[in-house]
Amino acid sequence: MTTPAPDRFGLRIDAHDQPGVLHDLTGVIARHNANISSLEILESTSSGISRLYLEVDWPADLEALVADLQKSPTVVSATAEKSLQKIYGKRIIIVGGGAQVGQVAIGAISEADRHNIRGERISVDTIPLVGELPLADAVRAVGRLPRARALVLAGALMGGEIEKAVREVRQLGLLVISLNMAGSVPDAADLVVSDPVQAGVMAVMAIADTAKFNVARLSRRVF
């Protein structure tokens, strides 16, 4: 018999912007045997208050955890929220030239809508960029983005440092789809798709739990 995975919740905390705040917060969370899955400092205000967002895997009493956080001398307020995983879900990131990015987004958004209606949660993020180094930086940064599951590279020519970055993020488990373009990036990607709309569709199908598409079972990687 398998043990069910604990629920994941978000915690929005306003705390005094001072040394030791994270130590205090993580101490409270650890005492409740909750595991922190992500943490982000959203902003620090001019009044000396920092707003933090944490997601925790929570096996017991969420209300008791929030109550103890509110008792901490460093905390101004603490509230429980639905996790971003439940609201926005898995993320597809589309990077490259503006025209190609837009076409990939059409396919990805249309396909994501079909799966989200059936209970899936997939969101699509885009950024048009030009230049080898800015693109390489963007590819590497996807490996640090929370909930990112797939990256689509949309352009006419990519290689060099971008190829190196693609190979690095694939080692982190990120699915990389490339348009069929000039340069060495297609050689480094998991899938190469000629039609940008189809590339967006396939990216969604590859990460959706409500789809039966499995990249590992494909007999070829260029379409």
Side-chain angles (χ1 to χ4, degrees), residues 12-222:
R12 191 181 65 199
I13 300 172
D14 286 355
H16 296 291
D17 189 2
Q18 63 188 45
V21 169
L22 290 181
H23 178 270
D24 292 343
L25 297 179
T26 56
V28 174
I29 293 169
R31 287 196 293 274
H32 282 264
N33 198 32
N35 183 56
I36 298 173
S37 58
S38 67
L39 184 152
E40 185 176 0
I41 300 176
L42 302 178
E43 61 179 342
S44 295
T45 67
S46 57
S47 58
I49 302 298
S50 287
R51 177 161 295 164
L52 301 92
Y53 176 76
L54 302 86
E55 293 202 347
V56 297
D57 292 328
W58 179 239
D61 189 347
L62 180 64
E63 292 184 0
L65 171 60
V66 173
D68 279 355
L69 285 169
Q70 291 173 336
K71 295 175 184 176
S72 172
T74 61
V75 173
V76 177
S77 65
T79 58
E81 310 282 353
K82 288 184 178 179
S83 72
L84 293 178
Q85 180 69 40
K86 290 183 179 179
I87 299 172
Y88 286 105
K90 307 164 191 172
R91 300 170 72 184
I92 292 173
I93 313 298
I94 307 170
V95 177
Q100 293 98 327
V101 164
Q103 290 300 301
V104 174
I106 289 173
I109 293 169
S110 298
E111 184 68 11
D113 182 66
R114 188 169 72 88
H115 290 279
N116 289 348
I117 287 173
R118 294 155 60 191
E120 184 70 74
R121 282 293 183 271
I122 296 174
S123 54
V124 180
D125 298 284
T126 67
I127 180 168
L129 286 172
V130 294
E132 179 182 346
L133 294 182
L135 281 164
D137 288 342
V139 170
R140 290 189 173 100
V142 176
R144 305 192 298 270
L145 289 177
R147 309 185 323 281
R149 297 292 183 272
L151 167 66
V152 184
L153 290 168
L157 171 63
M158 294 186 191
E161 196 64 29
I162 307 170
E163 177 198 349
K164 295 179 184 178
V166 166
R167 296 188 186 278
E168 290 172 16
V169 296
R170 284 186 64 198
Q171 290 295 317
L172 300 175
L174 188 73
L175 172 70
V176 180
I177 297 176
S178 169
L179 295 189
N180 199 352
M181 66 178 82
S184 57
V185 160
D187 296 330
D190 292 287
L191 290 178
V192 180
V193 184
S194 298
D195 180 74
V197 175
Q198 183 183 359
V201 171
M202 293 180 74
V204 172
M205 291 174 60
I207 67 170
D209 293 331
T210 48
K212 297 182 179 180
F213 178 66
N214 189 332
V215 172
R217 297 177 62 183
L218 293 175
S219 59
R220 60 193 179 101
R221 54 178 294 276
V222 180

